[in-house]
């Protein structure tokens, strides 16, 4: 990876230009950099001499194209989902974004923290919605300490669901802070632990931890599983697997606005794992690859004397 000087972009009709304050680094960025994404999805990862990664940003609108809705004006602080195709990713000083993918930033949250909100929470929102459960139903969540898993717990609770979460000992307090009803040990015994509490199984599961087939044992006959990385497992016992692809709703302004509101109200809690100047992006990638990161490393587009991060 390297820092490039690129031509200054300008907003066309339906677009805004954002002067970026902060842009998180995602595990998906590692997949793009390493070529995994191009192998499995060449149409969304075309060959290019310049490839800017990054799935979301926070910053200030400094240019608007025709046809943009009135609330998006020059000088407005915003958060946005970006699509990392060729030079359109979010990890740049200026990015062009379709107006549908941009909403005003949540009040009371600094832009660095707010930059980590939309991508994971939208994925979690889609995962909760895909289960189509009624209030009072019980859902199991894997990967609860991660960005998607944590948001899934908070959104499921906001929807009136009972939540069983998983956690390693070191993450138990963190996961408990998201508000699940029950926290069980993470690992191979999670599904069995759920069955001890619910002998017939729970109504649904959100597999934010990419457990795969093993999570199905926690789900009742005819139940549903939302898989955030496209996994589909055995449909025996009438279990329904629902792959969740965030691309499907990246321009759903109403959904993004609702997530922004929930963060502003304190229902959702964005998390920063550390901040880095853009020229230290490789350190942020290494941090994710080492694992155990709770929150997102964030590139901050201003001069820093040192990068810093937390475990």
């Amino acid at each position: 990876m390297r820092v490039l000087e690129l031509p200054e972009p300008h907003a066309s009709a339906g677009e805004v230009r954002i002067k970026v304050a902060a842009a998180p680094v995602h595990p998906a960025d590692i997949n793009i950099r390493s070529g995994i994404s191009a192998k499995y999805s060449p149409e969304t990862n075309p060959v290019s001499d310049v490839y800017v990664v990054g799935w979301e940003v926070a910053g200030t609108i400094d240019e608007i194209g025709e046809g943009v809705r009135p609330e998006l004006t020059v000088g407005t602080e915003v958060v946005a989902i970006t699509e990392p195709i060729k030079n359109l990713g979010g990890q740049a000083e200026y990015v062009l974004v379709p107006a549908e993918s941009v909403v005003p930033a949540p009040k009371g949250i600094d832009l660095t923290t707010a930059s980590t909100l939309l991508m994971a929470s939208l994925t979690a929102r889609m995962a909760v919605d895909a289960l189509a459960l009624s209030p009072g139903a019980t859902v199991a969540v894997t990967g609860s300490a991660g960005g998607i898993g944590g948001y899934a717990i908070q959104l499921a609770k906001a929807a009136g669901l009972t939540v069983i979460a998983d956690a390693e000992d070191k993450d138990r307090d963190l996961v408990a802070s998201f508000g699940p009803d029950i926290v069980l040990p993470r690992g191979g015994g999670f599904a069995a632990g759920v069955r001890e509490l619910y002998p017939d199984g729970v109504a649904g599961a959100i597999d934010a931890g990419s457990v795969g087939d093993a999570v199905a044992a926690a789900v009742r006959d005819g139940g549903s599983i939302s898989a955030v990385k496209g996994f589909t497992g055995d449909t025996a016992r009438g279990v329904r697997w629902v792959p969740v692809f965030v691309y499907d709703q990246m321009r759903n302004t109403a959904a993004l606005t609702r997530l922004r509101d929930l963060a502003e109200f304190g229902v959702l809690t964005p998390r920063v794992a550390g901040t880095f100047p853009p020229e230290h992006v490789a350190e942020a990638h290494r941090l994710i690859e080492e694992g155990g990161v709770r929150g997102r490393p964030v590139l901050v587009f201003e001069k820093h004397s040192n990068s810093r991060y937390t475990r």
Side-chain angles (χ1 to χ4, degrees), residues 31-212:
N31 292 340
I32 292 173
R33 188 203 75 215
S34 64
I36 292 174
S37 297
K39 178 179 179 181
Y40 290 102
S41 183
E43 68 280 2
T44 55
N45 295 271
V47 175
S48 175
D49 292 333
V50 173
Y51 216 109
V52 180
V53 295
W55 294 85
E56 58 187 332
V57 300
T60 304
I61 294 176
D62 77 337
E63 189 176 286
I64 58 174
E66 295 181 2
V68 171
R69 64 188 192 277
E71 67 174 335
L72 301 180
T73 59
V74 171
T76 301
E77 291 188 342
V78 293
V79 288
I81 287 185
T82 54
E83 192 170 355
I85 295 179
K86 294 186 177 180
N87 64 342
L88 297 178
Q91 293 171 18
E93 186 179 7
Y94 294 95
V95 298
L96 300 180
V97 188
E100 298 95 328
S101 299
V102 183
V103 294
K107 297 175 183 177
I109 301 176
D110 66 89
L111 289 179
T112 298
T113 303
S115 73
T116 68
L117 171 66
L118 290 182
M119 197 66 184
S121 67
L122 179 60
T123 305
R125 172 79 275 168
M126 293 172 67
V128 172
D129 289 348
L131 296 178
L133 300 178
S134 300
T138 301
V139 60
V141 178
T142 70
S144 300
I148 296 172
Y151 285 136
I153 293 169
Q154 293 177 317
L155 289 166
K157 289 300 298 178
L161 303 177
T162 297
V163 177
I164 303 174
D166 68 344
E168 297 180 6
D169 287 344
K170 65 184 179 68
D171 293 323
R172 191 175 183 87
D173 289 345
L174 172 65
V175 171
S177 73
F178 302 143
D181 298 275
I182 301 167
V183 181
L184 296 178
R186 179 183 179 184
F190 177 68
V194 172
R195 283 282 183 162
E196 287 182 11
L197 298 169
Y198 292 81
D200 294 330
V202 294
I206 297 172
D207 189 19
S210 298
V211 172

Side-chain angles (χ1 to χ4, degrees), residues 229-250:
K229 293 188 178 179
F231 182 85
T232 55
D234 188 352
T235 56
R237 303 188 292 112
V239 173
R240 180 176 66 105
W241 287 83
V242 187
V244 172
F245 297 104
V246 74
Y247 278 104
D248 296 340
Q249 293 198 27
M250 290 172 71

Side-chain angles (χ1 to χ4, degrees), residues 277-297:
E279 60 269 20
H280 291 181
V281 63
E283 295 178 32
H285 275 236
R286 281 193 289 269
L287 184 62
I288 289 179
E289 289 177 307
E290 289 170 3
V293 179
R294 299 300 176 240
R296 295 283 185 243

